[in-house]
Amino acid sequence: LSTDIITVLTPEGTILFESDSVELILGYTKDELIGLNAFSFIHKDDFNKVLGEFEIGFKNPGTSIISQYRFRKANGSYAYLESTGTNFNIPYNSNVVIISRDVSARIESEKRLNRLTAAVEQSSNTVVITDTNGNIEYVNKKFFDLTGYNKEEVIGKNPSVLHSGETPGEVYKDMWTTILTGKVWEGELRNRKKSGELYWERIKITPVVDENDSITNFIAIKDDISKEKFTNEKLEQSLHEKE
């Protein structure tokens, strides 16, 4: 059974034909829908957009119009459909043939991804994603705000652009040994901003693996602890003076 719904509509939107797959996807039998107006099932927030696209397709025979919208299912919920409609303008027959597929899973996945992206972008922590060679593929807004670098200056580059020269090489060696074996590395580094100002970061680097357990990326979550370090240094200095 095809997973696409084939529908034939009159110029007014009346349903003349539905394929059997409509029951599998939307829960209606095809006999329930024939004679009804397809636009009465469109979500109210999508109605004007879909109607406008339908009219464009109808007025331009032979041109396929793709539309994405919510369609009410038999149980009252809505499915996201992606439809391609074409007016073939056959003599004495100006009906529109529409082929639709359910893209609800894809839309929901995109929504989750967008929510995750928004959360990462608005995070108070610096987030850096690199490939397995350490080349930067993504940084969030906090990274730019903290370091002073812009996107063009860091994407494709190595995080060593932040090195202050004050961190022992053994620390970086330990870090790479840890993450390349699939383990999480945590530590503190003193880095340098674009302006030359030094700052401290507490860093947690996690390997990302695919379905074959092969490492594809590294994600670094970093927290600016410069104030914390400054406060501790002042406290230690004060205690030392008292002693």
Side-chain angles (χ1 to χ4, degrees):
L1 185 65
S2 172
T3 56
D4 289 345
I5 303 171
I6 300 174
T7 307
V8 178
L9 302 180
T10 68
E12 295 72 37
T14 301
I15 300 172
L16 298 178
F17 171 84
E18 286 284 8
S19 59
D20 293 331
S21 52
V22 71
E23 185 169 0
L24 176 66
I25 296 173
L26 299 176
Y28 302 102
T29 65
K30 57 184 180 180
D31 293 334
E32 285 182 279
L33 295 176
I34 291 175
L36 301 180
N37 191 287
F39 295 109
S40 64
F41 295 86
I42 304 295
H43 192 285
K44 61 182 179 64
D45 293 339
D46 300 331
F47 181 84
N48 290 333
K49 176 182 79 75
V50 175
L51 184 61
E53 290 167 341
F54 179 83
E55 290 176 348
I56 291 173
F58 182 75
K59 293 176 181 177
N60 294 274
T63 301
S64 295
I65 302 296
I66 300 175
S67 182
Q68 196 175 94
Y69 54 92
R70 286 161 288 183
F71 193 96
R72 189 174 69 253
K73 300 170 66 174
N75 63 9
S77 65
Y78 283 86
Y80 279 93
L81 297 183
E82 186 173 84
S83 300
T84 302
T86 309
N87 174 9
F88 290 103
N89 198 30
I90 301 172
Y92 310 110
N93 185 352
S94 57
N95 298 324
V96 178
V97 177
I98 297 176
I99 300 176
S100 306
R101 62 181 52 186
D102 185 358
V103 293
S104 300
R106 188 187 79 198
I107 297 296
E108 289 304 321
S109 178
E110 290 173 354
K111 286 183 176 180
R112 287 193 296 270
L113 180 60
N114 289 337
R115 286 194 293 269
L116 176 61
T117 300
V120 172
E121 277 296 307
Q122 296 169 29
S123 173
S124 59
N125 295 102
T126 298
V127 179
V128 179
I129 300 176
T130 73
D131 61 19
T132 53
N133 294 317
N135 298 316
I136 297 173
E137 294 185 349
Y138 169 85
V139 292
N140 68 342
K141 182 178 181 297
K142 179 66 176 179
F143 178 92
F144 301 128
D145 294 340
L146 176 63
T147 68
Y149 286 100
N150 60 42
K151 186 175 182 180
E152 290 71 25
E153 292 173 315
V154 294
I155 298 299
K157 304 293 194 306
N158 194 280
S160 58
V161 68
L162 300 175
H163 289 183
S164 63
E166 298 189 10
T167 302
E170 290 76 14
V171 174
Y172 295 112
K173 183 178 179 181
D174 174 66
M175 178 186 72
W176 276 105
T177 300
T178 301
I179 61 178
L180 285 173
T181 54
K183 299 175 183 177
V184 176
W185 183 87
E186 295 185 59
E188 295 178 0
L189 298 178
R190 194 173 195 190
N191 284 330
R192 188 184 303 274
K193 301 180 182 181
K194 182 179 179 180
S195 64
E197 178 187 350
L198 297 176
Y199 68 104
W200 281 95
E201 287 187 310
R202 182 177 291 118
I203 305 173
K204 182 176 183 179
I205 303 177
T206 304
V208 178
V209 298
D210 60 17
E211 62 275 8
N212 298 315
D213 288 332
S214 297
I215 298 174
T216 60
N217 296 90
F218 298 114
I219 297 181
I221 309 296
K222 310 199 288 183
D223 188 25
D224 181 7
I225 57 170
S226 301
K227 290 182 180 180
E228 179 183 324
K229 284 283 189 180
F230 178 77
T231 301
N232 289 339
E233 287 175 2
K234 284 291 185 182
L235 181 60
E236 289 176 4
Q237 181 180 350
S238 177
L239 290 173
H240 180 70
E241 290 173 353
K242 288 180 180 179
E243 291 174 356

